[in-house]
Structure formats: structure tokens, C-alpha cells
Amino acid sequence: MGELATEKHVQYILSVEKKKDDFQSVVMEHLRMNGAYWGLTALDILGKLDTVDADEVVSWVMSCQHESGGFSGNVGHDPHILYTLSAVQVLALFDKLDVLDVDKVTNYVVGLQNEDGSFSGDIWGEVDSRFSYIAILCLSLLHQLDKINVEKAVNFVVSCKNMDGGFGCTPGGESHSGQIFCCVGALALTGSLHHVDKDLLGWWLCERQVKSGGLNGRPEKLPDVCYSWWVLSSLIMIDRVHWISKEKLIKFILDCQDTENGGISDRPDDAVDVYHTYFGIAGLSLLEYPSLKPIDPAYALPVDVVNRIRLGKRHAI
Amino acid sequence: MVPIRLWRLPKQDFSELMGYFRAVYRADERSPRSLHLTAEAIAMNPGNYTVWHFRRLILEALNVDLHDELNFLDNIAESNTKNYQIWHHRRWVAQKLGTDAANKELEFTRKIISLDSKNYHAWSHRQWVLQALGGWEDELDYCHELLKEDVFNNSAWNQRYFVITRSPLLGGLKSMRESEVNYTVEAILAHPENESSWRYLRGLYAGDTQSWIIAPQVSSVCLKVLGSRINFVFALSTLLDLLSHGFPSTQAFRDAVDALRVPDDNQTDSNLAKTACLILERVDPIRVNYWLWQKSKLPQ
């Protein structure tokens, strides 16, 4: 089995950040905030966050904040909860949450909660259980979870639970590993994991591992490195991660590396991108691969960052 | 008509177009000219959500006929079937049009699903259309049609469950159970390795374990698949589930499970559930720890 090409991946991530003119960068320009979160979290797990100029990143992040309190995917775009969480996460990585006007961000997120407890993504009202997780995590990082109706938020997430133990994007929606991560994460962060049928969901999740060792997102779909994160973190949150073969999954992720130019792809021999690079490295971190920082499965941030935030809360009290 | 040729424009033209867009966006100019610009910008990069936001504001301001907007979306959606913005925009338009849009939306999602039968966005949109605008009449037939094409299509099984539990035209899960069990048993016997059909069968008894363990169709489909001695993992795990809920094991089951043992299985046990676990550990080694856990929770 090959090894993790740490140095190559660091170079790859840094090069993506610098490329702003190629076609892919132009098309991805509107979600640069997500890209920043993926790339920077991956760097931090690899122990190389200090290769980035923190002040430059923080000032760019803050230039994406709007009057409403929400953040956009880049300068000149509209705010959305997706990018608001990424912005808060990036600031957390650099221990710079203190630059935020906490009330302003909190008001933006609180304003997106609907009567039934669900969350909209922005002013246009799209509802998805992903947004419930995002809102809950965002407020948890800011110690403001008590500002929303947590009980209703939990009830909505639980209403997305299916008979196979999984969760969909809305009530009745098909179980999907990405949505399961969001729903289980939302329940974990609110201390509501008792709503999860852990044995049934654990079985469904471990059935996602296919012969190659990779994980898929739904039955009969192809394996993809990003599910190393969605499935694995869910299994850890419900204490069932030993139900899959860790060795085979590690091998699958390592087989998806571009060992020449760095980066990780969805499946062996496909083109790499920063999204799959992050999820591959984060997956390996969850699998306790040597010399990687541990990552928290619910906060999707390195454990030391999460601990710092929790400690901060104690100081605040 | 969307000028698709824009995709082939050199980068500087793309930048120029986006420059114009940003100018009208900043000036909040809600004009036909701006509407056209958003169409061009969307054709080049349909993921740019800010362009979609602005387009909605213009559509509202100009009071445009939204049927035209659906046609505009038809043209770009087919090549961007996994784009969140397009689907969200489509829902916004359909919601404004109301029940009039139901048929068109069901037809449209049918078309996308025919190209990609597990497209999550298309299925979500379809569920929303059924619940918000109606059109449940043919939905069960539609699920059957898709399952006939591909009985492994988990999205179609999920939709089937959605219909039998939520359609206002059917009597709900209990009244649908018998016919659905027969339907599912047939699907299982044709492909006993199908995870989706087994989970659907279990789902038909959600919250009613008593009926689950006494249903003769359930134990008989397990026995038949075990008797065939191939693709029996889900049958065996279903048997485990039945036993754990108090299903009384019979000689027929003991014989069928014994027949699955190989000479290498030197560990034998008089306990049927334990034997089932031992076999599963061998035939499904990637999940060996799951089956070991199943075994560990059996009464000693």
C-alpha cells in the first residue's frame, strides 16, 4: 500500500489557492468560501496551516460579510448560510472568531429558522436538512445555540428520518450519506442522538462499503472518496465505526491520490480537486492515520480547534 | 433560447460579460436588458447563485410570464441536472404558477429521471410537486415502471414508500401492506441480493414488529432464498432480525441454514441465530465486526 503524499498535497492545495484565472477557478469563484474551508482545514490536519498568511485570509473572509450578517461565497455575491458556516469555520481555524460581531451573525442565522423548525438557506427559502446542521453548527461555534428554537429544529431533523434508519433532505426524501451526516451531526450537537436508531443506521452505513474498500452514498452507487467523510463521521458519532473495514478504506483513499502532482480524486485515476482532497484527508484523520491531526466528526474541524472554542466558553462564563 | 455557444467563448469574453452583469447588479437595474444578461451569465455558469437571485428579482419586477421561465429552465436543466440553483429556481417558479404547473413539473422530472434514474434533486422536486401541487394518481404505476426497468433503483423504492405512506388517494401503510408485501416478495425472489427490496419489506412493518414476525410471506421468502443457497446474505440477516424479535425457529429453517455451512465452519452451534452469524462472518468478511456484534448480543 502507498503512503499519504503529504508534501505533494500541501503544494497542491497552496497552488489551487493561487490559481485565480483558469476556467475552473472562474466557474468556482462564487463558492470560494467553501473552497477556503476545504483547503485550509486539510492544511491544518496536515499540520501546515502556518504556510498561509492568516491576516490575508481573515481580511478576505470579512470582506465577504453583508449587512444582514451573512457571508457570501466570495466578494460581490449574495449571502447564504452555506458560506456563513464556512466563514465561521475558517475564522475558528485561525483562532480569529473575536473579529466577528457575534450578534450580527447570530441574527442572520436565527432569521432563517422557519415555523416548523427547519432552516432556509437564504432569503429565497430553500429548505433542506443540510441547512439545519449548518445553522446548529454555526451557532454552536459562536456559543449562541440557545438563540434558536432547538426543540423545533430537532423535531424537523427527526421528521427526515426514514424506515431504513437513514435521513433525507426533507421528510420522505431518500436516505443519502451526505444528508445522514448533516442530520446525525445536528442531533449530536444538540445532544439528541437518542432519536437515532443506531443499530439500524449503523448497519445501513456499513453496507455502504463496497468490495474495493470505498464507500458509496446510497445502495448500488459507485464509491467516492467524499463518502469517507460523510459515512465515517456518521458512524463515529453513533459509535459504530468498527463495523466497516478500516484497512480497506485507507487503501481506497490512498489509491485515489495523485502521487505526482498532489491532490485526491473521487475514485482511482480520476482528476483531483480540493473538495475530494479535503474529504480524503479528513477521512484518513478519522481513521487515525499516522501524523494527522484528529478531526472532530460533528464540528468538521480539528479537535484542538474545537477544544479551544469549548474552553473559550468556560472563560466567557 | 439560451445562447449555448457562450460556453465556447474565450475567457476574456466571459470576464467581460460578468463585468456587465456586476454593473447592472450593483445598479439594481431590473430591466429586460438585465434579464437577458442573467440568461447569458447562467448559460456560462449555472452554479453562480447570485445571478439566479438577481434574475428572480427582475422576474418579479417585470412581471414576466413564468411559463416562459419554465421553458428557459428546461433548456439549461438537462445539461445541469445536479445543480442546486436550477432546481431551487424551478421550485420558486412552479410555486408561483400553482396547480397549473403540476403536470408539467411531473413530466419534466420524469424526463430527467429517465436520463439519470437516481438524480436526488429530481426526486426531491417531484416529491415537493406531489405534496404542494398534487398529481398523485399515476405515481404508484410510475414507481412500478421504474422498478421494472431496474429493480435495484433505491430511489424508486423510496418513492414507492413515499407514495404508499403519504398519498391522500391510498389508505396508508396498513391498508397497502398485503399487496405491497406480495409485490416485494416477487422482486426479492427475482434478485435476492437486492438490499433495497429487503429494506422495503422491513419498512412495510415499521412500528409493527408483531405482524412482522408472524407474517407467513416474510418467513417463507426467507426460507426460499436460503434454500437456493446463493445470494442469501439479506435473507439470513432478515432471519436474524426475526429471531431477535421472538420468531420461533422451525426445523425447516434449521435445515436450510445448516445446508449453508461449509466444512471449514468447524465451529458449530445448536443455536440457529448463532449459526447464522457464523455463516455471515464468513460470506461477508468486510462487515465481520457487524456480524460479530450481532452474535454477541444473542442470549447466551
Side-chain angles (χ1 to χ4, degrees), chain B residues 64-89:
Chain B
V64 172
D65 180 356
L66 291 175
H67 292 95
D68 294 342
E69 187 65 4
L70 283 184
N71 294 333
F72 164 74
L73 288 170
D74 284 354
N75 290 324
I76 36 170
E78 279 170 41
S79 45
N80 297 281
T81 59
K82 292 193 174 173
N83 172 306
Y84 280 101
Q85 284 76 30
I86 296 178
W87 286 105
H88 177 221
H89 189 76

Side-chain angles (χ1 to χ4, degrees), chain A residues 21 26-27 30 73 77-78 83 122 124 130 168-169 172 174 199 203-204 206 208-209 218 242-243, chain B residues 11 14 25 45 47-50 53 56 84 88 118 120 124 127 154-155 158 195 199 287 289-290 293:
Chain A
D21 293 323
V26 175
V27 171
H30 64 277
H77 286 269
D78 289 337
Y83 311 112
D122 62 14
W124 295 99
R130 288 181 304 148
C169 70
E174 186 184 2
D199 297 334
W203 179 41
W204 190 92
C206 76
R208 306 283 56 80
Q209 190 163 33
R218 287 182 273 167
H242 54 291
W243 286 358
Chain B
K11 206 188 87 236
F14 183 15
Y25 174 66
N45 181 12
N48 188 326
Y49 66 100
T50 300
H53 287 193
R56 284 192 280 277
Y84 280 101
H88 177 221
K118 297 168 187 172
Y120 203 91
S124 287
Q127 292 193 344
N154 193 60
S155 304
N158 183 70
E195 178 181 349
R199 291 198 193 275
R287 276 166 282 277
N289 286 337
Y290 174 68
W293 170 80

Side-chain angles (χ1 to χ4, degrees), chain A residues 73-289:
Chain A
N74 205 338
V75 178
H77 286 269
D78 289 337
H80 194 286
I81 197 167
L82 283 165
Y83 311 112
T84 304
L85 173 63
S86 285
V88 172
Q89 284 174 313
V90 168
L91 295 174
L93 284 175
F94 290 110
D95 196 13
K96 288 285 164 67
L97 284 174
D98 55 348
V99 304
L100 280 177
D101 179 341
V102 171
D103 291 342
K104 203 169 164 181
V105 183
T106 303
N107 288 340
Y108 174 75
V109 176
V110 169
L112 293 171
Q113 189 171 29
N114 302 308
E115 194 45 48
D116 65 356
S118 67
F119 282 83
S120 299
D122 62 14
I123 55 165
W124 295 99
E126 182 185 10
V127 169
D128 187 319
S129 54
R130 288 181 304 148
F131 304 148
S132 297
Y133 166 72
I134 290 172
I136 287 168
L137 176 53
C138 198
L139 296 180
S140 300
L141 290 168
L142 300 173
H143 307 303
Q144 300 292 320
L145 198 52
D146 58 329
K147 301 294 190 296
I148 54 162
N149 188 327
V150 174
E151 190 186 343
K152 276 190 169 183
V154 167
N155 288 344
F156 176 76
V157 170
V158 173
S159 75
C160 297
K161 185 162 77 168
N162 290 317
M163 51 83 171
D164 56 20
F167 294 82
C169 70
T170 47
E174 186 184 2
S175 293
H176 179 290
S177 304
Q179 304 288 157
I180 291 171
F181 161 77
C182 290
C183 292
V184 173
L187 296 176
L189 291 167
T190 52
S192 315
L193 281 175
H194 56 280
H195 289 293
V196 179
D197 189 340
K198 292 178 188 164
D199 297 334
L200 184 61
L201 176 60
W203 179 41
W204 190 92
L205 289 168
C206 76
E207 282 290 337
R208 306 283 56 80
Q209 190 163 33
V210 300
K211 281 207 173 70
S212 65
L215 298 160
N216 62 20
R218 287 182 273 167
E220 296 293 321
K221 299 279 281 185
L222 291 172
D224 182 321
V225 158
C226 70
Y227 294 111
S228 310
W229 172 263
W230 309 121
V231 174
L232 213 49
S233 53
S234 305
L235 279 169
I236 292 175
M237 287 189 271
I238 61 169
D239 297 323
R240 301 289 185 277
V241 73
H242 54 291
W243 286 358
I244 61 159
S245 166
K246 290 186 181 183
E247 299 72 29
K248 287 199 162 190
L249 180 56
I250 291 176
K251 183 181 180 314
F252 176 80
I253 298 173
L254 292 177
D255 284 347
C256 294
Q257 297 181 99
D258 180 338
T259 48
E260 256 174 60
N261 302 309
I264 298 175
S265 55
D266 56 352
R267 281 181 281 283
D269 301 322
D270 280 358
V272 303
D273 59 62
V274 71
Y275 172 86
H276 288 94
T277 304
Y278 162 61
F279 286 114
I281 291 170
L284 289 172
S285 165
L286 291 176
L287 291 161
E288 298 170 315
Y289 190 88

